[in-house]
């Protein structure tokens, strides 16, 4: 007798769940959970001929399947994880939205809406194998977190004095102190307890700190150290002629955005290269943009019209009237820089 295990969604499309649910008379929702939480048991104690037939069908649909003897131990429940995406080049967001829509079985608009959130959390309660499959099918970095083990930041989004005072009192009564309108380092239980007191995404924002990004700052280095120079040239892509004058520009950001899980190992590499570096948390607050050196006024206005209702540029500089999340700001910045503008974030 044989057991058939679904190892991963592989290259399959979510639409196969309906095909399989109908063919094997399995609950559609249960089957979807089974696939996204693989490895999981699809059939147990079936004869070899049936196992071969089903294996061929599932494999043809794109699933990764394992057939084993029925007396071999069955894997326990997979750790349930949340997945977020980081898009290195925001100009690629439409292509990634298409890839994500095919992976999740949703339309492009829904996928795009997930991607423009900050952070871009796209799936919850899925297995590590699903994370690996997603990484193989989208042109973006997949960040993985166990939400029960993560720490959290709560940000105030409603800056009216009334709400700030109410939330500050709520935090004080719970034993927490607001620091620049946010609380960091909360456990899952602590964060959920505070969140349930408000439960309004227009007033506060709950952020899993595993999805926060970091930048790397170079504070000092020796221009005569061969390992340092080699790292800056090969890993950072810094021109040789600039390295000789680099001390005049320190401290200097050498990495714009790095996931939390990669920060420690990256700093170990810089230390080994005799570079004095440190990491800084990238703000998870929404922010505005200061746009300067506007020389192509009409094209710039057309670009801004996609993000803001009324755009009327009178000068060679303009400030966005509303705060946007990081993903949208990065997308807008790339488009404006391609039009020759200088763009700087404004945090306030």
């Amino acid at each position: 007798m044989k057991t058939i295990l679904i190892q991963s969604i592989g290259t399959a499309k979510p639409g196969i769940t309906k095909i399989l649910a109908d063919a094997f008379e399995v609950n559609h929702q249960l089957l979807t959970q089974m696939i996204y939480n693989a490895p999981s048991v699809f059939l147990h104690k079936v004869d070899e001929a049936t196992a071969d037939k089903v294996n061929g069908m599932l494999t043809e649909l794109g699933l990764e399947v394992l057939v084993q003897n029925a007396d071999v131990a069955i894997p326990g429940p997979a750790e349930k994880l949340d997945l977020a995406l980081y898009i290195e080049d925001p100009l690629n967001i439409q292509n990634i939205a298409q890839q994500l829509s095919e992976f999740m079985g949703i339309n492009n608009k829904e996928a795009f809406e997930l991607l423009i959130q900050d952070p871009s959390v796209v799936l919850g309660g899925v297995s590590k194998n699903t994370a690996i499959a997603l990484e193989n099918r989208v042109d973006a970095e997949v960040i993985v977190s166990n939400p029960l083990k993560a720490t959290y930041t709560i940000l105030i989004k409603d800056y009216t004095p009334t709400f700030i005072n109410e939330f500050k009192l709520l935090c004080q009564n719970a034993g927490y102190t607001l620091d620049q309108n946010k609380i960091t380092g909360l456990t899952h239980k602590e964060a959920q307890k505070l969140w349930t007191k408000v439960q309004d995404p227009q007033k506060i924002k709950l952020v899993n700190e595993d999805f926060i990004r970091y930048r790397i700052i170079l504070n000092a280095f020796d221009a005569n150290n061969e390992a340092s120079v080699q790292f800056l040239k090969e890993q950072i892509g810094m021109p040789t002629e600039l390295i000789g004058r680099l001390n005049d520009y320190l401290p200097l950001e050498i990495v714009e955005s790095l996931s939390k899980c990669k920060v420690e190992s990256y700093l170990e590499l810089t230390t080994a290269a005799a570079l004095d570096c440190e990491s800084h948390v990238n703000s998870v607050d929404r922010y505005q943009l200061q746009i300067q050196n506007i020389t192509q006024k009409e094209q710039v206005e057309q670009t801004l019209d996609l993000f803001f209702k009324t755009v009327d540029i009178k000068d060679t500089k303009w400030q966005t009237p509303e705060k946007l999340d990081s993903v949208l700001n990065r997308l807008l910045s790339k488009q404006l820089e391609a039009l020759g503008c200088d763009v700087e974030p404004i945090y306030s």
Side-chain angles (χ1 to χ4, degrees), residues 156-199:
I156 286 183
K157 293 178 67 177
D158 180 353
Y159 289 104
T160 58
T162 301
F163 178 72
I164 290 178
N165 289 333
E166 287 177 357
F167 191 67
K168 186 181 293 185
L169 181 60
L170 175 65
C171 292
Q172 287 174 349
N173 291 338
Y176 307 110
T177 302
L178 274 177
D179 181 13
Q180 297 181 338
N181 291 326
K182 63 184 175 184
I183 309 172
T184 61
L186 296 168
T187 65
H188 181 266
K189 185 177 180 179
E190 291 169 337
Q192 289 299 317
K193 191 173 181 179
L194 275 178
W195 170 257
T196 54
K197 299 289 186 182
V198 180
Q199 292 191 15

mmCIF file of all heavy atoms in Angstrom, residues 156-199:
data_model
loop_
_atom_site.group_PDB
_atom_site.id
_atom_site.type_symbol
_atom_site.label_atom_id
_atom_site.label_comp_id
_atom_site.label_asym_id
_atom_site.label_seq_id
_atom_site.Cartn_x
_atom_site.Cartn_y
_atom_site.Cartn_z
ATOM 1 N N ILE A 156 1.039 54.964 14.924
ATOM 2 C CA ILE A 156 -0.158 55.798 14.872
ATOM 3 C C ILE A 156 -0.300 56.367 13.466
ATOM 4 O O ILE A 156 0.650 56.890 12.893
ATOM 5 C CB ILE A 156 -0.078 56.948 15.907
ATOM 6 C CG1 ILE A 156 -0.299 56.406 17.317
ATOM 7 C CG2 ILE A 156 -1.116 58.018 15.590
ATOM 8 C CD1 ILE A 156 -0.296 57.471 18.379
ATOM 9 N N LYS A 157 -1.491 56.235 12.884
ATOM 10 C CA LYS A 157 -1.775 56.811 11.573
ATOM 11 C C LYS A 157 -2.698 58.027 11.681
ATOM 12 O O LYS A 157 -2.702 58.885 10.815
ATOM 13 C CB LYS A 157 -2.407 55.755 10.662
ATOM 14 C CG LYS A 157 -1.470 54.620 10.291
ATOM 15 C CD LYS A 157 -2.160 53.577 9.424
ATOM 16 C CE LYS A 157 -2.519 54.108 8.063
ATOM 17 N NZ LYS A 157 -3.119 53.064 7.197
ATOM 18 N N ASP A 158 -3.481 58.059 12.745
ATOM 19 C CA ASP A 158 -4.395 59.172 12.989
ATOM 20 C C ASP A 158 -3.694 60.170 13.908
ATOM 21 O O ASP A 158 -3.514 59.923 15.101
ATOM 22 C CB ASP A 158 -5.672 58.643 13.638
ATOM 23 C CG ASP A 158 -6.690 59.749 13.921
ATOM 24 O OD1 ASP A 158 -6.346 60.936 13.737
ATOM 25 O OD2 ASP A 158 -7.815 59.424 14.320
ATOM 26 N N TYR A 159 -3.272 61.302 13.344
ATOM 27 C CA TYR A 159 -2.485 62.272 14.112
ATOM 28 C C TYR A 159 -3.331 63.350 14.778
ATOM 29 O O TYR A 159 -2.794 64.352 15.246
ATOM 30 C CB TYR A 159 -1.434 62.930 13.204
ATOM 31 C CG TYR A 159 -0.314 61.987 12.824
ATOM 32 C CD1 TYR A 159 -0.267 61.422 11.560
ATOM 33 C CD2 TYR A 159 0.684 61.656 13.735
ATOM 34 C CE1 TYR A 159 0.751 60.549 11.203
ATOM 35 C CE2 TYR A 159 1.709 60.791 13.387
ATOM 36 C CZ TYR A 159 1.731 60.242 12.123
ATOM 37 O OH TYR A 159 2.739 59.373 11.783
ATOM 38 N N THR A 160 -4.626 63.162 14.838
ATOM 39 C CA THR A 160 -5.448 64.148 15.539
ATOM 40 C C THR A 160 -5.107 64.085 17.030
ATOM 41 O O THR A 160 -4.929 62.994 17.590
ATOM 42 C CB THR A 160 -6.952 63.850 15.346
ATOM 43 O OG1 THR A 160 -7.234 62.531 15.823
ATOM 44 C CG2 THR A 160 -7.333 63.948 13.877
ATOM 45 N N PRO A 161 -4.996 65.241 17.677
ATOM 46 C CA PRO A 161 -4.614 65.271 19.099
ATOM 47 C C PRO A 161 -5.501 64.395 19.974
ATOM 48 O O PRO A 161 -5.021 63.763 20.913
ATOM 49 C CB PRO A 161 -4.755 66.754 19.466
ATOM 50 C CG PRO A 161 -4.560 67.480 18.174
ATOM 51 C CD PRO A 161 -5.168 66.597 17.126
ATOM 52 N N THR A 162 -6.799 64.348 19.644
ATOM 53 C CA THR A 162 -7.728 63.549 20.460
ATOM 54 C C THR A 162 -7.339 62.080 20.459
ATOM 55 O O THR A 162 -7.234 61.442 21.517
ATOM 56 C CB THR A 162 -9.173 63.701 19.942
ATOM 57 O OG1 THR A 162 -9.545 65.078 20.001
ATOM 58 C CG2 THR A 162 -10.129 62.880 20.794
ATOM 59 N N PHE A 163 -7.102 61.541 19.248
ATOM 60 C CA PHE A 163 -6.765 60.117 19.187
ATOM 61 C C PHE A 163 -5.387 59.841 19.781
ATOM 62 O O PHE A 163 -5.199 58.837 20.474
ATOM 63 C CB PHE A 163 -6.802 59.582 17.749
ATOM 64 C CG PHE A 163 -6.406 58.130 17.674
ATOM 65 C CD1 PHE A 163 -7.261 57.146 18.138
ATOM 66 C CD2 PHE A 163 -5.151 57.751 17.197
ATOM 67 C CE1 PHE A 163 -6.890 55.810 18.108
ATOM 68 C CE2 PHE A 163 -4.778 56.422 17.167
ATOM 69 C CZ PHE A 163 -5.643 55.449 17.618
ATOM 70 N N ILE A 164 -4.418 60.712 19.511
ATOM 71 C CA ILE A 164 -3.076 60.509 20.067
ATOM 72 C C ILE A 164 -3.126 60.439 21.588
ATOM 73 O O ILE A 164 -2.515 59.567 22.216
ATOM 74 C CB ILE A 164 -2.105 61.628 19.604
ATOM 75 C CG1 ILE A 164 -1.807 61.469 18.111
ATOM 76 C CG2 ILE A 164 -0.804 61.583 20.398
ATOM 77 C CD1 ILE A 164 -0.911 62.545 17.543
ATOM 78 N N ASN A 165 -3.877 61.344 22.187
ATOM 79 C CA ASN A 165 -4.003 61.341 23.652
ATOM 80 C C ASN A 165 -4.714 60.083 24.151
ATOM 81 O O ASN A 165 -4.325 59.505 25.172
ATOM 82 C CB ASN A 165 -4.748 62.593 24.110
ATOM 83 C CG ASN A 165 -3.925 63.858 23.944
ATOM 84 O OD1 ASN A 165 -2.692 63.799 23.973
ATOM 85 N ND2 ASN A 165 -4.580 64.989 23.759
ATOM 86 N N GLU A 166 -5.756 59.669 23.419
ATOM 87 C CA GLU A 166 -6.488 58.451 23.806
ATOM 88 C C GLU A 166 -5.578 57.232 23.732
ATOM 89 O O GLU A 166 -5.568 56.393 24.645
ATOM 90 C CB GLU A 166 -7.697 58.251 22.882
ATOM 91 C CG GLU A 166 -8.843 59.222 23.117
ATOM 92 C CD GLU A 166 -9.971 59.023 22.118
ATOM 93 O OE1 GLU A 166 -9.818 58.159 21.216
ATOM 94 O OE2 GLU A 166 -10.986 59.735 22.222
ATOM 95 N N PHE A 167 -4.816 57.133 22.647
ATOM 96 C CA PHE A 167 -3.969 55.955 22.460
ATOM 97 C C PHE A 167 -2.790 55.983 23.431
ATOM 98 O O PHE A 167 -2.362 54.937 23.923
ATOM 99 C CB PHE A 167 -3.475 55.875 21.018
ATOM 100 C CG PHE A 167 -2.831 54.554 20.687
ATOM 101 C CD1 PHE A 167 -3.580 53.391 20.655
ATOM 102 C CD2 PHE A 167 -1.478 54.476 20.422
ATOM 103 C CE1 PHE A 167 -2.992 52.164 20.362
ATOM 104 C CE2 PHE A 167 -0.879 53.257 20.123
ATOM 105 C CZ PHE A 167 -1.640 52.099 20.094
ATOM 106 N N LYS A 168 -2.287 57.181 23.702
ATOM 107 C CA LYS A 168 -1.184 57.309 24.665
ATOM 108 C C LYS A 168 -1.630 56.825 26.049
ATOM 109 O O LYS A 168 -0.898 56.096 26.733
ATOM 110 C CB LYS A 168 -0.716 58.768 24.738
ATOM 111 C CG LYS A 168 0.523 58.981 25.602
ATOM 112 C CD LYS A 168 0.920 60.454 25.637
ATOM 113 C CE LYS A 168 1.383 60.928 24.292
ATOM 114 N NZ LYS A 168 1.890 62.322 24.329
ATOM 115 N N LEU A 169 -2.840 57.190 26.443
ATOM 116 C CA LEU A 169 -3.390 56.754 27.727
ATOM 117 C C LEU A 169 -3.607 55.244 27.730
ATOM 118 O O LEU A 169 -3.312 54.567 28.723
ATOM 119 C CB LEU A 169 -4.711 57.484 28.000
ATOM 120 C CG LEU A 169 -5.401 57.152 29.332
ATOM 121 C CD1 LEU A 169 -4.489 57.505 30.511
ATOM 122 C CD2 LEU A 169 -6.732 57.903 29.440
ATOM 123 N N LEU A 170 -4.108 54.721 26.620
ATOM 124 C CA LEU A 170 -4.317 53.282 26.487
ATOM 125 C C LEU A 170 -2.991 52.530 26.660
ATOM 126 O O LEU A 170 -2.928 51.510 27.362
ATOM 127 C CB LEU A 170 -4.925 52.977 25.111
ATOM 128 C CG LEU A 170 -5.112 51.498 24.743
ATOM 129 C CD1 LEU A 170 -6.137 50.846 25.658
ATOM 130 C CD2 LEU A 170 -5.554 51.371 23.290
ATOM 131 N N CYS A 171 -1.936 53.051 26.041
ATOM 132 C CA CYS A 171 -0.612 52.420 26.145
ATOM 133 C C CYS A 171 -0.075 52.498 27.573
ATOM 134 O O CYS A 171 0.484 51.524 28.099
ATOM 135 C CB CYS A 171 0.371 53.091 25.181
ATOM 136 S SG CYS A 171 -0.008 52.794 23.445
ATOM 137 N N GLN A 172 -0.229 53.649 28.192
ATOM 138 C CA GLN A 172 0.243 53.820 29.563
ATOM 139 C C GLN A 172 -0.446 52.840 30.503
ATOM 140 O O GLN A 172 0.198 52.226 31.362
ATOM 141 C CB GLN A 172 0.001 55.256 30.024
ATOM 142 C CG GLN A 172 0.930 56.275 29.390
ATOM 143 C CD GLN A 172 0.570 57.711 29.758
ATOM 144 O OE1 GLN A 172 -0.485 57.966 30.332
ATOM 145 N NE2 GLN A 172 1.440 58.645 29.408
ATOM 146 N N ASN A 173 -1.742 52.673 30.332
ATOM 147 C CA ASN A 173 -2.492 51.738 31.169
ATOM 148 C C ASN A 173 -2.055 50.292 30.949
ATOM 149 O O ASN A 173 -2.168 49.452 31.846
ATOM 150 C CB ASN A 173 -3.995 51.861 30.887
ATOM 151 C CG ASN A 173 -4.568 53.178 31.385
ATOM 152 O OD1 ASN A 173 -3.996 53.818 32.270
ATOM 153 N ND2 ASN A 173 -5.683 53.600 30.808
ATOM 154 N N ALA A 174 -1.537 50.016 29.735
ATOM 155 C CA ALA A 174 -1.071 48.665 29.411
ATOM 156 C C ALA A 174 0.410 48.482 29.736
ATOM 157 O O ALA A 174 0.957 47.390 29.557
ATOM 158 C CB ALA A 174 -1.325 48.356 27.945
ATOM 159 N N GLY A 175 1.064 49.577 30.192
ATOM 160 C CA GLY A 175 2.482 49.490 30.570
ATOM 161 C C GLY A 175 3.455 49.792 29.453
ATOM 162 O O GLY A 175 4.639 49.432 29.531
ATOM 163 N N TYR A 176 3.012 50.474 28.381
ATOM 164 C CA TYR A 176 3.888 50.808 27.262
ATOM 165 C C TYR A 176 4.001 52.319 27.121
ATOM 166 O O TYR A 176 3.122 53.074 27.542
ATOM 167 C CB TYR A 176 3.355 50.228 25.947
ATOM 168 C CG TYR A 176 3.069 48.753 26.015
ATOM 169 C CD1 TYR A 176 1.748 48.283 25.988
ATOM 170 C CD2 TYR A 176 4.096 47.826 26.118
ATOM 171 C CE1 TYR A 176 1.474 46.932 26.056
ATOM 172 C CE2 TYR A 176 3.825 46.468 26.189
ATOM 173 C CZ TYR A 176 2.511 46.030 26.164
ATOM 174 O OH TYR A 176 2.241 44.685 26.238
ATOM 175 N N THR A 177 5.087 52.760 26.475
ATOM 176 C CA THR A 177 5.310 54.184 26.257
ATOM 177 C C THR A 177 5.454 54.452 24.768
ATOM 178 O O THR A 177 6.241 53.793 24.086
ATOM 179 C CB THR A 177 6.594 54.667 26.968
ATOM 180 O OG1 THR A 177 6.478 54.375 28.370
ATOM 181 C CG2 THR A 177 6.798 56.162 26.769
ATOM 182 N N LEU A 178 4.693 55.407 24.272
ATOM 183 C CA LEU A 178 4.817 55.800 22.877
ATOM 184 C C LEU A 178 6.127 56.551 22.662
ATOM 185 O O LEU A 178 6.469 57.449 23.421
ATOM 186 C CB LEU A 178 3.652 56.708 22.476
ATOM 187 C CG LEU A 178 2.353 56.059 22.016
ATOM 188 C CD1 LEU A 178 1.316 57.146 21.741
ATOM 189 C CD2 LEU A 178 2.565 55.217 20.787
ATOM 190 N N ASP A 179 6.869 56.182 21.622
ATOM 191 C CA ASP A 179 8.110 56.874 21.259
ATOM 192 C C ASP A 179 7.980 57.322 19.816
ATOM 193 O O ASP A 179 7.963 56.491 18.902
ATOM 194 C CB ASP A 179 9.311 55.938 21.423
ATOM 195 C CG ASP A 179 10.629 56.623 21.082
ATOM 196 O OD1 ASP A 179 10.643 57.861 20.963
ATOM 197 O OD2 ASP A 179 11.632 55.908 20.912
ATOM 198 N N GLN A 180 7.854 58.633 19.611
ATOM 199 C CA GLN A 180 7.645 59.194 18.275
ATOM 200 C C GLN A 180 6.441 58.540 17.591
ATOM 201 O O GLN A 180 6.499 58.128 16.432
ATOM 202 C CB GLN A 180 8.910 59.035 17.418
ATOM 203 C CG GLN A 180 10.097 59.798 17.990
ATOM 204 C CD GLN A 180 11.346 59.660 17.130
ATOM 205 O OE1 GLN A 180 11.481 58.723 16.353
ATOM 206 N NE2 GLN A 180 12.271 60.597 17.273
ATOM 207 N N ASN A 181 5.370 58.455 18.348
ATOM 208 C CA ASN A 181 4.088 57.932 17.858
ATOM 209 C C ASN A 181 4.147 56.474 17.404
ATOM 210 O O ASN A 181 3.416 56.062 16.500
ATOM 211 C CB ASN A 181 3.548 58.814 16.719
ATOM 212 C CG ASN A 181 3.117 60.174 17.224
ATOM 213 O OD1 ASN A 181 2.631 60.305 18.348
ATOM 214 N ND2 ASN A 181 3.320 61.199 16.417
ATOM 215 N N LYS A 182 5.010 55.696 18.053
ATOM 216 C CA LYS A 182 5.049 54.264 17.742
ATOM 217 C C LYS A 182 5.567 53.483 18.943
ATOM 218 O O LYS A 182 6.196 54.030 19.847
ATOM 219 C CB LYS A 182 5.925 53.981 16.522
ATOM 220 C CG LYS A 182 7.381 54.328 16.696
ATOM 221 C CD LYS A 182 8.138 54.093 15.396
ATOM 222 C CE LYS A 182 9.583 54.547 15.532
ATOM 223 N NZ LYS A 182 10.313 54.424 14.261
ATOM 224 N N ILE A 183 5.257 52.190 18.948
ATOM 225 C CA ILE A 183 5.766 51.260 19.956
ATOM 226 C C ILE A 183 6.445 50.124 19.200
ATOM 227 O O ILE A 183 5.880 49.592 18.242
ATOM 228 C CB ILE A 183 4.642 50.668 20.826
ATOM 229 C CG1 ILE A 183 3.751 51.768 21.391
ATOM 230 C CG2 ILE A 183 5.208 49.830 21.953
ATOM 231 C CD1 ILE A 183 2.516 51.241 22.083
ATOM 232 N N THR A 184 7.637 49.751 19.605
ATOM 233 C CA THR A 184 8.364 48.701 18.909
ATOM 234 C C THR A 184 8.633 47.518 19.849
ATOM 235 O O THR A 184 8.510 47.626 21.071
ATOM 236 C CB THR A 184 9.710 49.223 18.373
ATOM 237 O OG1 THR A 184 10.510 49.672 19.474
ATOM 238 C CG2 THR A 184 9.500 50.378 17.410
ATOM 239 N N GLY A 185 9.010 46.390 19.258
ATOM 240 C CA GLY A 185 9.443 45.232 20.023
ATOM 241 C C GLY A 185 8.350 44.496 20.774
ATOM 242 O O GLY A 185 8.626 43.783 21.739
ATOM 243 N N LEU A 186 7.108 44.615 20.313
ATOM 244 C CA LEU A 186 5.999 43.918 20.979
ATOM 245 C C LEU A 186 5.953 42.454 20.554
ATOM 246 O O LEU A 186 6.204 42.124 19.387
ATOM 247 C CB LEU A 186 4.669 44.576 20.611
ATOM 248 C CG LEU A 186 4.451 46.026 21.065
ATOM 249 C CD1 LEU A 186 3.228 46.601 20.369
ATOM 250 C CD2 LEU A 186 4.307 46.111 22.566
ATOM 251 N N THR A 187 5.640 41.580 21.489
ATOM 252 C CA THR A 187 5.416 40.182 21.124
ATOM 253 C C THR A 187 4.093 40.083 20.380
ATOM 254 O O THR A 187 3.282 41.026 20.376
ATOM 255 C CB THR A 187 5.356 39.282 22.370
ATOM 256 O OG1 THR A 187 4.196 39.650 23.148
ATOM 257 C CG2 THR A 187 6.612 39.406 23.213
ATOM 258 N N HIS A 188 3.847 38.926 19.769
ATOM 259 C CA HIS A 188 2.601 38.721 19.045
ATOM 260 C C HIS A 188 1.391 38.910 19.975
ATOM 261 O O HIS A 188 0.413 39.580 19.628
ATOM 262 C CB HIS A 188 2.578 37.313 18.441
ATOM 263 C CG HIS A 188 1.351 37.013 17.651
ATOM 264 N ND1 HIS A 188 0.248 36.382 18.194
ATOM 265 C CD2 HIS A 188 1.024 37.262 16.357
ATOM 266 C CE1 HIS A 188 -0.684 36.258 17.283
ATOM 267 N NE2 HIS A 188 -0.246 36.771 16.151
ATOM 268 N N LYS A 189 1.493 38.364 21.174
ATOM 269 C CA LYS A 189 0.392 38.460 22.141
ATOM 270 C C LYS A 189 0.172 39.909 22.569
ATOM 271 O O LYS A 189 -0.974 40.380 22.647
ATOM 272 C CB LYS A 189 0.701 37.588 23.357
ATOM 273 C CG LYS A 189 -0.427 37.519 24.375
ATOM 274 C CD LYS A 189 -0.072 36.562 25.517
ATOM 275 C CE LYS A 189 -1.206 36.483 26.547
ATOM 276 N NZ LYS A 189 -0.866 35.542 27.646
ATOM 277 N N GLU A 190 1.266 40.626 22.843
ATOM 278 C CA GLU A 190 1.155 42.031 23.264
ATOM 279 C C GLU A 190 0.567 42.885 22.145
ATOM 280 O O GLU A 190 -0.305 43.740 22.389
ATOM 281 C CB GLU A 190 2.529 42.566 23.659
ATOM 282 C CG GLU A 190 3.094 41.956 24.933
ATOM 283 C CD GLU A 190 4.549 42.305 25.153
ATOM 284 O OE1 GLU A 190 5.255 42.628 24.162
ATOM 285 O OE2 GLU A 190 5.002 42.255 26.312
ATOM 286 N N ALA A 191 1.043 42.662 20.930
ATOM 287 C CA ALA A 191 0.571 43.450 19.791
ATOM 288 C C ALA A 191 -0.919 43.215 19.538
ATOM 289 O O ALA A 191 -1.674 44.153 19.293
ATOM 290 C CB ALA A 191 1.385 43.106 18.551
ATOM 291 N N GLN A 192 -1.335 41.955 19.597
ATOM 292 C CA GLN A 192 -2.737 41.635 19.365
ATOM 293 C C GLN A 192 -3.633 42.237 20.440
ATOM 294 O O GLN A 192 -4.751 42.689 20.160
ATOM 295 C CB GLN A 192 -2.926 40.113 19.318
ATOM 296 C CG GLN A 192 -2.351 39.455 18.070
ATOM 297 C CD GLN A 192 -2.992 39.968 16.800
ATOM 298 O OE1 GLN A 192 -4.204 40.141 16.722
ATOM 299 N NE2 GLN A 192 -2.177 40.217 15.785
ATOM 300 N N LYS A 193 -3.134 42.254 21.665
ATOM 301 C CA LYS A 193 -3.921 42.801 22.777
ATOM 302 C C LYS A 193 -4.168 44.292 22.580
ATOM 303 O O LYS A 193 -5.280 44.791 22.790
ATOM 304 C CB LYS A 193 -3.190 42.548 24.093
ATOM 305 C CG LYS A 193 -4.029 42.840 25.330
ATOM 306 C CD LYS A 193 -3.306 42.399 26.595
ATOM 307 C CE LYS A 193 -4.161 42.673 27.836
ATOM 308 N NZ LYS A 193 -3.482 42.233 29.080
ATOM 309 N N LEU A 194 -3.120 45.024 22.146
ATOM 310 C CA LEU A 194 -3.285 46.453 21.886
ATOM 311 C C LEU A 194 -4.143 46.690 20.653
ATOM 312 O O LEU A 194 -4.984 47.592 20.623
ATOM 313 C CB LEU A 194 -1.915 47.117 21.701
ATOM 314 C CG LEU A 194 -1.185 47.563 22.965
ATOM 315 C CD1 LEU A 194 0.172 48.141 22.617
ATOM 316 C CD2 LEU A 194 -2.001 48.585 23.749
ATOM 317 N N TRP A 195 -3.914 45.874 19.626
ATOM 318 C CA TRP A 195 -4.665 46.045 18.383
ATOM 319 C C TRP A 195 -6.166 45.888 18.617
ATOM 320 O O TRP A 195 -6.981 46.647 18.073
ATOM 321 C CB TRP A 195 -4.184 45.032 17.349
ATOM 322 C CG TRP A 195 -5.055 44.963 16.130
ATOM 323 C CD1 TRP A 195 -5.970 44.006 15.819
ATOM 324 C CD2 TRP A 195 -5.116 45.924 15.066
ATOM 325 N NE1 TRP A 195 -6.593 44.299 14.620
ATOM 326 C CE2 TRP A 195 -6.101 45.469 14.134
ATOM 327 C CE3 TRP A 195 -4.446 47.117 14.801
ATOM 328 C CZ2 TRP A 195 -6.408 46.170 12.975
ATOM 329 C CZ3 TRP A 195 -4.769 47.815 13.633
ATOM 330 C CH2 TRP A 195 -5.724 47.343 12.741
ATOM 331 N N THR A 196 -6.552 44.919 19.421
ATOM 332 C CA THR A 196 -7.976 44.673 19.656
ATOM 333 C C THR A 196 -8.652 45.827 20.393
ATOM 334 O O THR A 196 -9.874 45.946 20.367
ATOM 335 C CB THR A 196 -8.193 43.367 20.455
ATOM 336 O OG1 THR A 196 -7.425 43.408 21.664
ATOM 337 C CG2 THR A 196 -7.761 42.160 19.641
ATOM 338 N N LYS A 197 -7.860 46.678 21.046
ATOM 339 C CA LYS A 197 -8.436 47.838 21.738
ATOM 340 C C LYS A 197 -8.867 48.916 20.739
ATOM 341 O O LYS A 197 -9.712 49.762 21.062
ATOM 342 C CB LYS A 197 -7.413 48.443 22.703
ATOM 343 C CG LYS A 197 -6.928 47.502 23.804
ATOM 344 C CD LYS A 197 -7.988 47.231 24.841
ATOM 345 C CE LYS A 197 -7.421 46.412 25.994
ATOM 346 N NZ LYS A 197 -8.445 46.088 27.001
ATOM 347 N N VAL A 198 -8.294 48.892 19.534
ATOM 348 C CA VAL A 198 -8.589 49.914 18.530
ATOM 349 C C VAL A 198 -9.263 49.300 17.303
ATOM 350 O O VAL A 198 -10.332 49.731 16.877
ATOM 351 C CB VAL A 198 -7.300 50.675 18.110
ATOM 352 C CG1 VAL A 198 -7.624 51.745 17.061
ATOM 353 C CG2 VAL A 198 -6.626 51.295 19.316
ATOM 354 N N GLN A 199 -8.601 48.297 16.713
ATOM 355 C CA GLN A 199 -9.112 47.579 15.543
ATOM 356 C C GLN A 199 -9.552 48.497 14.410
ATOM 357 O O GLN A 199 -10.583 48.276 13.779
ATOM 358 C CB GLN A 199 -10.263 46.650 15.951
ATOM 359 C CG GLN A 199 -9.833 45.494 16.819
ATOM 360 C CD GLN A 199 -10.931 44.447 16.983
ATOM 361 O OE1 GLN A 199 -11.904 44.434 16.259
ATOM 362 N NE2 GLN A 199 -10.749 43.566 17.944
#
